[in-house]
Amino acid sequence: MALAVSLARNLDLEPLIEQFSRSAGDYVPHDSLSFRHDVAGSEQTILIGAAGRHACSYQLTVEDTSLGTLSLTRCRRFDETELATLEQLLGIIVYPLRNALLYYRAQHEAATDRLTGLANRSVFGDALAREISRAQRYGSSLALLMVDLDNLKLINDRHGHSAGDRALQQVAQALRTSLRDSDQVFRYAGDEFAVLLIGGEGSAAVEVAERLRTQVAELSPEPVPVRPTLSIGVSSLRTDDDTQALFERADTALYAAKRAGRNCVCSTD
């Protein structure tokens, strides 16, 4: 079947789901199609279209392996003939879907720091370039925060590297939960993090950085015997910036914060 061949050629997960939605729509018209799957314990959803009142959902498996849940919705009920057709179509997508998920998860693992679960340095450069280009194209603002965990060496020396790992995880969690979904957090190096504040600039970015610093400084010393503290450098995007210029200013501000005694925020703005 042409659809099976076409789907098998596509290893990119979201385009694969979009292609299936278009093809299935020729046989089973629908207003939306969603696919929910798990990546490293976190549920991800791909949604195409706007949800309707009536839904049909299928838990997809192949060779006893769960792939995820695919759902279609629309404003009127699905009849038995349509459901039978849809089940035949699902039989065509499961193997291409399994391959796309394996590829997606391999990419995710390569881009993720295993200790903290944050995006890693390998994807930071591309993300920084992409957000700078987007901000310059649409005239929006962007700020970069370079963050250093001040006392990681002290924690490691006094309490062992397992305590240092817990401190890194604690800081990563604080950064992740204290920022908006649109912002991006990366583990840049051993004790350094990078934060892209989408739409942030100037005093507002400094306020965010100060809030992050304060929240970490007030963390419970458990399970880490020593409270971690942060030094943060802040720089906002300028009209003629490229990735190197913005990064170097934020990095310079970070070292100024460290020279100022650590556990503080410095800005180049």
Side-chain angles (χ1 to χ4, degrees):
M1 187 176 183
L3 176 59
V5 174
S6 179
L7 291 173
R9 291 173 178 166
N10 200 339
L11 276 177
D12 290 325
L13 184 58
E14 191 161 345
L16 176 71
I17 297 299
E18 291 174 350
Q19 182 184 2
F20 180 77
S21 178
R22 289 194 302 270
S23 298
D26 293 337
Y27 304 94
V28 185
H30 53 275
D31 296 327
S32 78
L33 182 149
S34 66
F35 177 65
R36 298 195 309 276
H37 63 107
D38 179 86
V39 179
S42 176
E43 187 178 86
Q44 307 287 326
T45 300
I46 298 171
L47 175 62
I48 300 163
R53 178 180 177 185
H54 297 282
C56 57
S57 296
Y58 298 86
Q59 179 64 46
L60 303 183
T61 61
V62 60
E63 298 175 358
D64 297 324
T65 299
S66 175
L67 302 179
T69 303
L70 188 142
S71 303
L72 275 68
T73 74
R74 69 184 188 191
C75 295
R76 58 187 176 85
R77 291 182 182 276
F78 296 91
D79 63 38
E80 294 300 321
T81 301
E82 289 176 316
L83 294 176
T85 300
L86 180 57
E87 289 173 11
Q88 290 181 323
L89 293 171
L90 292 176
I92 295 171
I93 195 178
V94 287
Y95 283 99
L97 183 58
R98 181 195 61 177
N99 295 337
L101 283 169
L102 289 172
Y103 181 65
Y104 177 86
R105 288 164 183 166
Q107 287 184 309
H108 177 80
E109 289 177 6
T112 302
D113 175 60
R114 291 190 177 185
L115 177 65
T116 63
L118 299 177
N120 62 27
R121 183 172 179 171
S122 69
V123 295
F124 168 68
D126 288 341
L128 180 60
R130 182 176 61 250
E131 295 305 331
I132 288 176
S133 176
R134 182 176 298 163
Q136 290 173 336
R137 186 183 313 122
Y138 296 109
S140 53
S141 53
L142 175 71
L144 172 62
L145 278 56
M146 293 303 297
V147 181
D148 185 85
L149 200 169
D150 296 319
N151 47 354
L152 179 61
K153 186 176 186 303
L154 174 65
I155 295 171
N156 284 335
D157 290 347
R158 287 189 179 179
H159 305 284
H161 284 83
S162 61
D165 287 349
R166 290 195 297 273
L168 286 164
Q169 291 168 333
Q170 200 175 24
V171 169
Q173 178 67 8
L175 294 176
R176 187 164 38 213
T177 58
S178 300
L179 294 165
R180 301 165 302 171
D181 290 342
S182 58
D183 298 325
Q184 300 173 40
V185 189
F186 307 83
R187 186 180 180 193
Y188 182 75
D191 56 0
E192 286 190 52
F193 301 86
V195 177
L196 287 172
L197 297 180
I198 312 302
E201 64 178 343
S203 60
V206 172
E207 288 177 9
V208 171
E210 185 60 38
R211 185 179 75 243
L212 295 174
R213 185 200 65 79
T214 301
Q215 288 177 344
V216 169
E218 293 176 349
L219 287 172
S220 167
E222 296 294 336
V224 180
V226 178
R227 280 192 179 94
T229 64
L230 302 181
S231 295
I232 304 178
V234 182
S235 187
S236 298
L237 182 67
R238 298 174 184 171
T239 305
D240 57 349
D241 270 346
D242 57 14
T243 56
Q244 183 176 354
L246 180 59
F247 175 82
E248 287 182 352
R249 284 202 313 277
D251 201 44
T252 297
L254 170 61
Y255 279 92
K258 293 166 73 171
R259 288 195 301 271
R262 304 178 186 269
N263 193 22
C264 64
V265 174
C266 286
S267 172
T268 60
D269 300 327

